[in-house]
Amino acid sequence: MDARDDRGRLSDYDRKRDFARTREPHGSAGHPDGAGGRPIFVIQHHVARRDHYDFRLEVDGVLRSWAVPKGPSTDPREKRLAVPTEDHPLDYADFEGSIPAGEYGGGTVLVWDTGTYTNTTHKRDRDLTMAEGLEHGHVSFRLDGEKLSGGYALSRFRTGAEEAWLLVKAKDDEADARRHPVAGSPESVRTGRRLQQVADDEGRTLTGRELGQQDAS
């Protein structure tokens, strides 16, 4: 288990943000209400410098996070690149809106999917906690979301400054090679909005610029 205290675990998150400009929640670790004791997950579609999906799993009071450029798949044959990013506070699971251009991650965010998950990580003769599995470089889990369900795994294939993982769907009853959830279900599970609607509602472009300003994209 990570020995850092909650404040230290979110220090990178806090350091990268000017909370006088962004409505993102302040960094504080804890446990969400109403999850019935099961850890949560959230996948947020995020248009910043690059369009990607932020895949987040609750682990020891924070959201461990990866940027998945192509988003998750329901086809076990597809291996999706997942690049680790800084831990996020649990409150971030509800964040949907516009991060101002010029701020870290400036652009539009919507809650693409959310729910709870069950850790199924096992190594040799014992079960591992999520923190242990992540330390070893492999975790498996079952999602119970509105768009995604069933088994998935995250496996690290590169360490160091360019650390990278793969997100892969398990071969189970929920696997479906014909389904394309990213393309077929682009709306927010929180509000039903699409990215452009989220940006319009906040008076900004998709990349976080005030309407009327030239968009860098």
Coordinates of all heavy atoms in Angstrom, one line a residue, residues 132-215:
E132 N -1.3 -3.3 -4.4 CA -0.2 -4.3 -4.6 C -0.1 -4.6 -6.1 O 1.0 -4.7 -6.6 CB -0.5 -5.5 -3.8 CG -0.3 -5.3 -2.3 CD -0.8 -6.5 -1.5 OE1 -1.7 -7.3 -2.0 OE2 -0.2 -6.8 -0.4
G133 N -1.3 -4.9 -6.7 CA -1.2 -5.2 -8.1 C -0.6 -4.1 -9.0 O 0.2 -4.4 -9.9
L134 N -1.0 -2.9 -8.7 CA -0.4 -1.8 -9.5 C 1.1 -1.6 -9.3 O 1.8 -1.3 -10.2 CB -1.2 -0.5 -9.1 CG -2.6 -0.4 -9.5 CD1 -3.3 0.8 -8.9 CD2 -2.7 -0.3 -11.0
E135 N 1.5 -1.9 -8.0 CA 2.9 -1.9 -7.8 C 3.7 -3.0 -8.6 O 4.8 -2.7 -9.1 CB 3.2 -2.1 -6.3 CG 4.6 -2.1 -5.9 CD 5.3 -0.7 -6.0 OE1 4.6 0.3 -6.0 OE2 6.5 -0.7 -6.1
H136 N 3.0 -4.1 -8.7 CA 3.6 -5.2 -9.5 C 3.5 -5.1 -11.0 O 4.1 -5.7 -11.8 CB 3.0 -6.6 -9.0 CG 3.5 -7.1 -7.7 ND1 4.7 -7.6 -7.5 CD2 2.8 -7.2 -6.5 CE1 4.9 -7.9 -6.3 NE2 3.7 -7.7 -5.6
G137 N 2.5 -4.2 -11.4 CA 2.4 -3.9 -12.8 C 1.2 -4.6 -13.5 O 1.2 -4.7 -14.7
H138 N 0.3 -5.2 -12.7 CA -0.9 -5.8 -13.3 C -2.0 -5.9 -12.4 O -1.8 -6.3 -11.2 CB -0.5 -7.3 -13.8 CG -1.7 -8.0 -14.3 ND1 -2.2 -7.8 -15.6 CD2 -2.6 -8.8 -13.8 CE1 -3.2 -8.6 -15.8 NE2 -3.6 -9.2 -14.7
V139 N -3.2 -5.5 -12.8 CA -4.4 -5.6 -12.1 C -5.5 -6.1 -13.0 O -5.6 -5.8 -14.2 CB -4.9 -4.3 -11.4 CG1 -3.9 -3.9 -10.2 CG2 -5.0 -3.1 -12.4
S140 N -6.4 -6.9 -12.4 CA -7.7 -7.3 -13.1 C -8.9 -6.9 -12.2 O -8.8 -6.9 -11.0 CB -7.7 -8.8 -13.4 OG -7.6 -9.5 -12.2
F141 N -10.0 -6.6 -12.9 CA -11.1 -6.1 -12.1 C -12.4 -6.2 -13.0 O -12.3 -6.4 -14.2 CB -10.9 -4.6 -11.8 CG -10.4 -3.8 -12.9 CD1 -11.2 -3.1 -13.8 CD2 -9.0 -3.6 -13.1 CE1 -10.7 -2.4 -14.8 CE2 -8.5 -2.9 -14.1 CZ -9.4 -2.2 -15.0
R142 N -13.5 -6.2 -12.3 CA -14.8 -6.3 -13.1 C -15.5 -4.9 -12.9 O -15.8 -4.5 -11.7 CB -15.7 -7.4 -12.5 CG -15.2 -8.8 -12.9 CD -16.2 -9.9 -12.5 NE -17.5 -9.6 -13.2 CZ -17.9 -10.0 -14.4 NH1 -17.0 -10.6 -15.2 NH2 -19.1 -9.8 -14.9
L143 N -15.9 -4.3 -14.0 CA -16.6 -3.1 -13.9 C -18.1 -3.3 -13.9 O -18.6 -4.2 -14.5 CB -16.3 -2.2 -15.2 CG -14.8 -1.8 -15.4 CD1 -14.7 -1.0 -16.7 CD2 -14.3 -1.1 -14.2
D144 N -18.8 -2.4 -13.2 CA -20.3 -2.4 -13.1 C -20.7 -1.0 -13.4 O -21.0 -0.3 -12.5 CB -20.8 -2.9 -11.8 CG -22.3 -3.0 -11.7 OD1 -22.9 -3.0 -12.8 OD2 -22.8 -3.2 -10.6
G145 N -20.7 -0.6 -14.7 CA -21.0 0.7 -15.0 C -22.3 0.8 -15.9 O -23.0 -0.2 -16.1
E146 N -22.6 2.0 -16.4 CA -23.7 2.2 -17.2 C -23.5 1.8 -18.7 O -24.4 1.4 -19.4 CB -24.2 3.6 -17.1 CG -24.7 4.0 -15.7 CD -25.4 5.3 -15.6 OE1 -26.1 5.7 -16.6 OE2 -25.2 6.0 -14.6
K147 N -22.2 2.0 -19.1 CA -21.9 1.6 -20.5 C -20.9 0.4 -20.6 O -21.0 -0.3 -21.6 CB -21.2 2.8 -21.2 CG -22.1 4.0 -21.3 CD -21.4 5.2 -22.0 CE -22.3 6.4 -22.2 NZ -21.6 7.5 -22.8
L148 N -20.1 0.2 -19.6 CA -19.2 -0.9 -19.6 C -19.4 -1.8 -18.4 O -19.7 -1.3 -17.3 CB -17.7 -0.4 -19.5 CG -17.2 0.5 -20.6 CD1 -15.7 0.9 -20.4 CD2 -17.4 -0.1 -22.0
S149 N -19.2 -3.1 -18.6 CA -19.4 -4.1 -17.6 C -18.5 -5.3 -17.9 O -18.0 -5.4 -19.0 CB -20.8 -4.5 -17.4 OG -21.3 -5.1 -18.6
G150 N -18.2 -6.1 -16.9 CA -17.4 -7.2 -17.0 C -15.9 -7.0 -16.8 O -15.5 -5.9 -16.3
G151 N -15.1 -8.0 -17.1 CA -13.7 -8.0 -16.7 C -12.9 -7.1 -17.6 O -13.1 -7.1 -18.8
Y152 N -11.9 -6.5 -17.0 CA -10.8 -5.7 -17.7 C -9.5 -6.0 -17.0 O -9.5 -6.4 -15.8 CB -11.1 -4.3 -17.7 CG -12.1 -3.8 -18.8 CD1 -13.5 -4.0 -18.6 CD2 -11.7 -3.4 -20.0 CE1 -14.5 -3.6 -19.5 CE2 -12.7 -3.0 -21.0 CZ -14.0 -3.1 -20.7 OH -14.9 -2.8 -21.7
A153 N -8.4 -5.7 -17.6 CA -7.1 -5.7 -17.0 C -6.3 -4.6 -17.5 O -6.4 -4.1 -18.6 CB -6.4 -7.0 -17.4
L154 N -5.4 -4.1 -16.6 CA -4.4 -3.1 -16.9 C -3.0 -3.7 -16.6 O -2.8 -4.3 -15.5 CB -4.6 -1.9 -16.0 CG -5.5 -0.8 -16.4 CD1 -5.8 0.1 -15.2 CD2 -5.0 0.0 -17.6
S155 N -2.2 -3.7 -17.6 CA -0.9 -4.3 -17.5 C 0.2 -3.3 -18.0 O 0.1 -2.7 -19.0 CB -0.8 -5.6 -18.4 OG -1.7 -6.5 -18.0
R156 N 1.2 -3.2 -17.1 CA 2.3 -2.2 -17.4 C 3.3 -2.9 -18.4 O 3.7 -4.1 -18.1 CB 3.0 -1.8 -16.2 CG 4.1 -0.8 -16.3 CD 4.6 -0.2 -15.0 NE 5.0 -1.3 -14.1 CZ 4.9 -1.3 -12.8 NH1 4.3 -0.3 -12.2 NH2 5.4 -2.3 -12.1
F157 N 3.7 -2.3 -19.5 CA 4.7 -2.8 -20.4 C 5.9 -2.0 -20.5 O 6.9 -2.4 -21.2 CB 4.0 -3.1 -21.8 CG 3.7 -1.9 -22.6 CD1 4.6 -1.3 -23.4 CD2 2.4 -1.3 -22.4 CE1 4.3 -0.2 -24.2 CE2 2.1 -0.2 -23.2 CZ 3.0 0.4 -24.1
R158 N 5.9 -0.8 -19.9 CA 7.1 0.1 -20.0 C 7.1 0.9 -18.7 O 6.1 1.4 -18.2 CB 7.0 1.0 -21.2 CG 8.3 1.8 -21.5 CD 8.2 2.5 -22.8 NE 7.1 3.4 -23.0 CZ 6.4 3.6 -24.1 NH1 6.6 2.8 -25.1 NH2 5.4 4.5 -24.1
T159 N 8.3 1.0 -18.1 CA 8.5 1.7 -16.9 C 9.4 3.0 -17.2 O 9.8 3.2 -18.3 CB 9.2 0.9 -15.8 OG1 10.5 0.4 -16.4 CG2 8.4 -0.4 -15.5
G160 N 9.6 3.7 -16.1 CA 10.5 4.9 -16.3 C 9.7 6.1 -16.6 O 8.5 6.2 -16.4
A161 N 10.4 7.1 -17.2 CA 9.8 8.4 -17.6 C 8.7 8.3 -18.6 O 7.8 9.1 -18.6 CB 10.9 9.4 -18.1
E162 N 8.7 7.2 -19.4 CA 7.7 7.0 -20.4 C 6.8 5.8 -20.1 O 6.5 5.0 -20.9 CB 8.3 6.9 -21.8 CG 9.0 8.2 -22.3 CD 9.5 8.1 -23.7 OE1 9.4 7.0 -24.3 OE2 10.0 9.1 -24.2
E163 N 6.5 5.7 -18.8 CA 5.7 4.5 -18.3 C 4.4 4.4 -19.1 O 3.8 5.4 -19.4 CB 5.4 4.7 -16.8 CG 4.6 3.5 -16.3 CD 4.3 3.7 -14.8 OE1 4.9 4.5 -14.1 OE2 3.3 3.1 -14.3
A164 N 4.1 3.2 -19.5 CA 2.8 2.9 -20.2 C 2.2 1.6 -19.9 O 2.9 0.6 -19.5 CB 3.1 3.0 -21.7
W165 N 0.9 1.5 -20.0 CA 0.1 0.3 -19.7 C -0.8 0.0 -20.9 O -0.9 0.8 -21.8 CB -0.7 0.6 -18.4 CG 0.0 0.9 -17.2 CD1 0.9 1.9 -16.9 CD2 0.0 0.1 -16.0 NE1 1.3 1.9 -15.7 CE2 0.8 0.8 -15.0 CE3 -0.7 -1.0 -15.6 CZ2 1.0 0.3 -13.7 CZ3 -0.5 -1.5 -14.3 CH2 0.3 -0.8 -13.4
L166 N -1.4 -1.2 -20.8 CA -2.4 -1.6 -21.8 C -3.7 -1.9 -21.0 O -3.7 -2.6 -20.0 CB -1.9 -2.8 -22.5 CG -0.8 -2.7 -23.5 CD1 -0.4 -4.0 -24.1 CD2 -1.1 -1.7 -24.6
L167 N -4.8 -1.4 -21.5 CA -6.1 -1.7 -21.0 C -6.8 -2.7 -22.0 O -6.9 -2.4 -23.2 CB -6.9 -0.4 -20.9 CG -8.4 -0.6 -20.5 CD1 -8.5 -1.1 -19.1 CD2 -9.2 0.8 -20.7
V168 N -7.2 -3.8 -21.5 CA -7.7 -4.9 -22.3 C -9.0 -5.5 -21.7 O -9.1 -5.7 -20.5 CB -6.7 -6.0 -22.5 CG1 -7.2 -7.1 -23.4 CG2 -5.4 -5.5 -23.1
K169 N -10.0 -5.7 -22.5 CA -11.2 -6.4 -22.1 C -11.0 -7.9 -21.9 O -10.4 -8.5 -22.8 CB -12.3 -6.1 -23.2 CG -13.7 -6.8 -22.8 CD -14.4 -6.1 -21.7 CE -15.7 -6.8 -21.3 NZ -15.4 -8.0 -20.5
A170 N -11.6 -8.4 -20.9 CA -11.5 -9.9 -20.7 C -12.4 -10.6 -21.6 O -13.4 -10.1 -22.1 CB -11.8 -10.2 -19.2
K171 N -12.1 -11.9 -21.9 CA -13.0 -12.7 -22.7 C -14.1 -13.3 -21.7 O -13.9 -14.3 -21.1 CB -12.2 -13.9 -23.3 CG -11.2 -13.4 -24.3 CD -10.4 -14.6 -24.9 CE -9.4 -14.1 -25.9 NZ -8.5 -15.2 -26.5
D172 N -15.2 -12.6 -21.7 CA -16.3 -13.1 -20.8 C -17.6 -12.8 -21.5 O -17.7 -12.4 -22.7 CB -16.2 -12.4 -19.4 CG -16.2 -10.9 -19.5 OD1 -16.6 -10.3 -20.6 OD2 -15.8 -10.2 -18.5
D173 N -18.7 -13.0 -20.8 CA -20.0 -12.8 -21.4 C -20.3 -11.4 -21.8 O -21.2 -11.1 -22.7 CB -21.1 -13.2 -20.4 CG -21.1 -14.7 -20.2 OD1 -20.5 -15.5 -21.0 OD2 -21.7 -15.2 -19.2
E174 N -19.6 -10.4 -21.3 CA -19.8 -9.0 -21.6 C -18.9 -8.5 -22.8 O -19.1 -7.4 -23.3 CB -19.6 -8.1 -20.4 CG -20.6 -8.2 -19.3 CD -20.3 -9.4 -18.4 OE1 -19.3 -10.0 -18.5 OE2 -21.2 -9.7 -17.6
A175 N -18.0 -9.4 -23.3 CA -17.2 -9.0 -24.4 C -18.0 -9.0 -25.7 O -18.9 -9.8 -25.8 CB -16.1 -10.0 -24.6
D176 N -17.8 -8.0 -26.5 CA -18.5 -7.9 -27.8 C -17.7 -7.2 -28.8 O -17.5 -6.0 -28.8 CB -19.8 -7.1 -27.5 CG -20.8 -7.1 -28.7 OD1 -20.3 -7.5 -29.8 OD2 -21.9 -6.7 -28.5
A177 N -17.2 -7.9 -29.8 CA -16.3 -7.4 -30.8 C -17.1 -6.5 -31.8 O -16.5 -5.6 -32.4 CB -15.6 -8.5 -31.6
R178 N -18.4 -6.6 -31.8 CA -19.2 -5.8 -32.8 C -19.6 -4.5 -32.2 O -20.1 -3.6 -32.9 CB -20.4 -6.6 -33.2 CG -20.2 -7.9 -33.9 CD -21.4 -8.8 -34.0 NE -21.9 -9.2 -32.7 CZ -23.0 -9.9 -32.5 NH1 -23.7 -10.3 -33.5 NH2 -23.4 -10.2 -31.2
R179 N -19.5 -4.4 -30.9 CA -19.9 -3.1 -30.2 C -18.8 -2.1 -30.2 O -17.6 -2.5 -30.0 CB -20.4 -3.4 -28.8 CG -20.9 -2.3 -28.1 CD -21.4 -2.7 -26.7 NE -21.7 -1.5 -25.9 CZ -21.4 -1.3 -24.6 NH1 -20.8 -2.3 -23.9 NH2 -21.7 -0.3 -23.9
H180 N -19.1 -0.8 -30.4 CA -18.1 0.2 -30.4 C -18.6 1.3 -29.5 O -19.2 2.3 -29.9 CB -17.9 0.7 -31.8 CG -17.4 -0.3 -32.8 ND1 -16.1 -0.8 -32.7 CD2 -18.1 -1.0 -33.7 CE1 -16.0 -1.8 -33.6 NE2 -17.2 -1.9 -34.3
P181 N -18.4 1.2 -28.2 CA -19.1 2.1 -27.2 C -18.6 3.5 -27.3 O -19.4 4.4 -27.1 CB -18.7 1.5 -25.8 CG -17.5 0.7 -26.1 CD -17.6 0.1 -27.5
V182 N -17.4 3.8 -27.7 CA -16.9 5.1 -27.8 C -17.6 5.9 -28.9 O -18.1 7.0 -28.7 CB -15.4 5.2 -28.0 CG1 -14.9 6.5 -28.4 CG2 -14.6 4.7 -26.7
A183 N -17.8 5.3 -30.0 CA -18.4 5.9 -31.1 C -20.0 5.9 -31.0 O -20.7 6.8 -31.3 CB -18.1 5.2 -32.5
G184 N -20.5 4.8 -30.4 CA -21.9 4.6 -30.4 C -22.6 5.3 -29.2 O -23.8 5.6 -29.3
S185 N -21.9 5.6 -28.1 CA -22.5 6.3 -27.0 C -21.6 7.4 -26.5 O -21.0 7.4 -25.4 CB -22.6 5.2 -25.8 OG -23.4 4.2 -26.2
P186 N -21.6 8.5 -27.2 CA -20.7 9.7 -26.8 C -21.3 10.6 -25.7 O -20.5 11.4 -25.2 CB -20.7 10.5 -28.1 CG -22.0 10.2 -28.8 CD -22.3 8.8 -28.5
E187 N -22.5 10.4 -25.3 CA -23.1 11.3 -24.3 C -22.7 11.0 -22.9 O -22.2 10.0 -22.5 CB -24.6 11.2 -24.4 CG -25.2 9.9 -23.9 CD -25.1 8.7 -24.8 OE1 -24.7 8.9 -26.0 OE2 -25.3 7.6 -24.3
S188 N -22.8 12.1 -22.1 CA -22.5 12.0 -20.6 C -23.6 11.1 -19.9 O -24.8 11.2 -20.2 CB -22.5 13.4 -20.0 OG -22.6 13.3 -18.6
V189 N -23.1 10.2 -19.0 CA -24.1 9.5 -18.2 C -24.6 10.3 -17.1 O -25.6 9.9 -16.4 CB -23.4 8.2 -17.7 CG1 -23.0 7.2 -18.8 CG2 -22.2 8.5 -16.8
R190 N -24.1 11.5 -16.8 CA -24.5 12.3 -15.8 C -25.7 13.3 -16.3 O -26.7 13.4 -15.6 CB -23.4 13.2 -15.2 CG -22.3 12.5 -14.5 CD -22.8 12.1 -13.1 NE -21.7 11.6 -12.3 CZ -21.8 10.7 -11.3 NH1 -23.0 10.3 -11.0 NH2 -20.7 10.3 -10.6
T191 N -25.4 13.9 -17.4 CA -26.3 14.9 -17.9 C -27.0 14.7 -19.3 O -27.8 15.4 -19.7 CB -25.6 16.3 -17.9 OG1 -24.6 16.2 -18.9 CG2 -25.0 16.6 -16.6
G192 N -26.5 13.6 -20.0 CA -27.0 13.4 -21.3 C -26.4 14.3 -22.4 O -26.7 14.1 -23.5
R193 N -25.5 15.2 -22.0 CA -25.0 16.1 -22.9 C -23.8 15.5 -23.7 O -23.2 14.6 -23.3 CB -24.4 17.4 -22.2 CG -25.5 18.2 -21.5 CD -24.9 19.5 -20.9 NE -24.0 19.1 -19.8 CZ -23.3 20.0 -19.1 NH1 -23.4 21.3 -19.4 NH2 -22.4 19.7 -18.1
R194 N -23.5 16.1 -24.9 CA -22.3 15.8 -25.6 C -21.3 16.9 -25.4 O -21.6 17.9 -24.8 CB -22.6 15.6 -27.1 CG -23.6 14.5 -27.4 CD -23.7 14.1 -28.8 NE -24.6 13.0 -29.0 CZ -24.6 12.2 -30.1 NH1 -23.8 12.5 -31.1 NH2 -25.4 11.2 -30.3
L195 N -20.1 16.6 -25.8 CA -19.0 17.5 -25.5 C -19.3 19.0 -26.0 O -19.0 19.9 -25.2 CB -17.7 17.0 -26.2 CG -16.9 15.9 -25.4 CD1 -15.9 15.3 -26.4 CD2 -16.3 16.4 -24.2
Q196 N -19.8 19.1 -27.2 CA -20.0 20.5 -27.7 C -21.1 21.2 -26.8 O -21.0 22.4 -26.6 CB -20.5 20.4 -29.1 CG -20.6 21.8 -29.8 CD -19.2 22.5 -29.9 OE1 -18.3 21.9 -30.5 NE2 -19.1 23.6 -29.2
Q197 N -22.1 20.4 -26.3 CA -23.1 21.1 -25.5 C -22.5 21.5 -24.1 O -22.8 22.6 -23.6 CB -24.2 20.1 -25.2 CG -25.0 19.8 -26.5 CD -26.0 18.6 -26.2 OE1 -25.7 17.5 -26.0 NE2 -27.3 19.0 -26.1
V198 N -21.6 20.7 -23.6 CA -20.9 21.1 -22.3 C -20.1 22.4 -22.5 O -20.2 23.3 -21.7 CB -20.0 19.9 -21.9 CG1 -19.1 20.4 -20.6 CG2 -20.7 18.7 -21.5
A199 N -19.3 22.4 -23.6 CA -18.6 23.6 -23.9 C -19.5 24.8 -24.1 O -19.3 25.9 -23.6 CB -17.7 23.4 -25.1
D200 N -20.5 24.7 -24.9 CA -21.5 25.8 -25.2 C -22.1 26.3 -23.9 O -22.3 27.5 -23.8 CB -22.6 25.3 -26.2 CG -22.1 25.1 -27.6 OD1 -20.9 25.5 -27.9 OD2 -22.8 24.4 -28.4
D201 N -22.5 25.4 -23.0 CA -23.2 25.8 -21.8 C -22.2 26.6 -20.9 O -22.7 27.4 -20.1 CB -23.6 24.6 -21.0 CG -24.8 23.9 -21.7 OD1 -25.4 24.5 -22.6 OD2 -25.2 22.7 -21.3
E202 N -20.9 26.5 -21.1 CA -20.0 27.3 -20.3 C -19.4 28.4 -21.1 O -18.5 29.1 -20.6 CB -18.9 26.4 -19.7 CG -19.5 25.3 -18.9 CD -18.6 24.8 -17.7 OE1 -17.5 25.5 -17.5 OE2 -18.9 23.9 -17.1
G203 N -19.9 28.7 -22.3 CA -19.5 29.8 -23.1 C -18.0 29.7 -23.5 O -17.3 30.7 -23.7
R204 N -17.6 28.5 -23.8 CA -16.2 28.2 -24.3 C -16.2 27.3 -25.5 O -17.2 26.6 -25.8 CB -15.4 27.6 -23.1 CG -15.1 28.5 -22.0 CD -13.9 28.1 -21.2 NE -13.6 29.0 -20.1 CZ -13.9 28.8 -18.8 NH1 -14.6 27.7 -18.5 NH2 -13.6 29.7 -17.9
T205 N -15.1 27.3 -26.1 CA -14.8 26.3 -27.2 C -14.5 25.0 -26.6 O -14.3 24.9 -25.4 CB -13.7 26.8 -28.1 OG1 -12.4 26.7 -27.4 CG2 -13.9 28.2 -28.6
L206 N -14.4 24.0 -27.4 CA -14.0 22.6 -26.9 C -12.7 22.6 -26.2 O -12.5 21.9 -25.3 CB -14.0 21.6 -28.1 CG -15.3 21.1 -28.6 CD1 -15.1 20.2 -29.8 CD2 -16.1 20.4 -27.5
T207 N -11.7 23.5 -26.6 CA -10.4 23.5 -26.0 C -10.3 24.5 -24.9 O -9.2 24.9 -24.5 CB -9.3 23.7 -27.1 OG1 -9.6 24.9 -27.8 CG2 -9.2 22.5 -28.0
G208 N -11.5 25.1 -24.4 CA -11.5 25.9 -23.2 C -11.3 27.4 -23.4 O -11.2 28.1 -22.4
R209 N -11.3 27.8 -24.7 CA -11.2 29.3 -24.9 C -12.5 30.0 -24.8 O -13.6 29.4 -25.1 CB -10.5 29.6 -26.2 CG -9.1 29.1 -26.3 CD -8.4 29.6 -27.6 NE -7.0 29.2 -27.6 CZ -6.0 29.9 -27.1 NH1 -6.3 31.0 -26.5 NH2 -4.8 29.4 -27.1
E210 N -12.6 31.2 -24.3 CA -13.8 31.9 -24.3 C -14.3 32.1 -25.7 O -13.6 32.3 -26.6 CB -13.6 33.3 -23.7 CG -13.1 33.3 -22.2 CD -14.2 32.9 -21.3 OE1 -15.4 33.0 -21.6 OE2 -13.9 32.5 -20.1
L211 N -15.7 32.0 -25.9 CA -16.2 32.2 -27.2 C -15.9 33.5 -27.7 O -15.9 34.5 -27.0 CB -17.8 32.0 -27.1 CG -18.3 30.6 -26.9 CD1 -19.8 30.6 -26.8 CD2 -17.8 29.6 -28.0
G212 N -15.5 33.6 -29.0 CA -15.1 34.8 -29.6 C -13.6 34.9 -29.7 O -13.1 35.7 -30.5
Q213 N -12.9 34.2 -28.9 CA -11.4 34.1 -29.0 C -11.0 33.1 -30.0 O -11.8 32.1 -30.3 CB -10.7 33.7 -27.7 CG -10.9 34.8 -26.6 CD -10.2 34.4 -25.3 OE1 -9.6 33.3 -25.2 NE2 -10.2 35.3 -24.4
Q214 N -9.9 33.3 -30.7 CA -9.4 32.3 -31.7 C -9.1 31.0 -31.0 O -8.3 31.0 -30.0 CB -8.2 32.8 -32.4 CG -7.7 31.9 -33.5 CD -6.6 32.5 -34.3 OE1 -6.2 33.6 -34.1 NE2 -6.1 31.8 -35.3
D215 N -9.6 29.9 -31.5 CA -9.3 28.6 -30.9 C -8.0 28.0 -31.5 O -7.8 28.0 -32.7 CB -10.4 27.6 -31.3 CG -10.5 26.4 -30.4 OD1 -9.4 26.0 -30.0 OD2 -11.6 25.8 -30.2

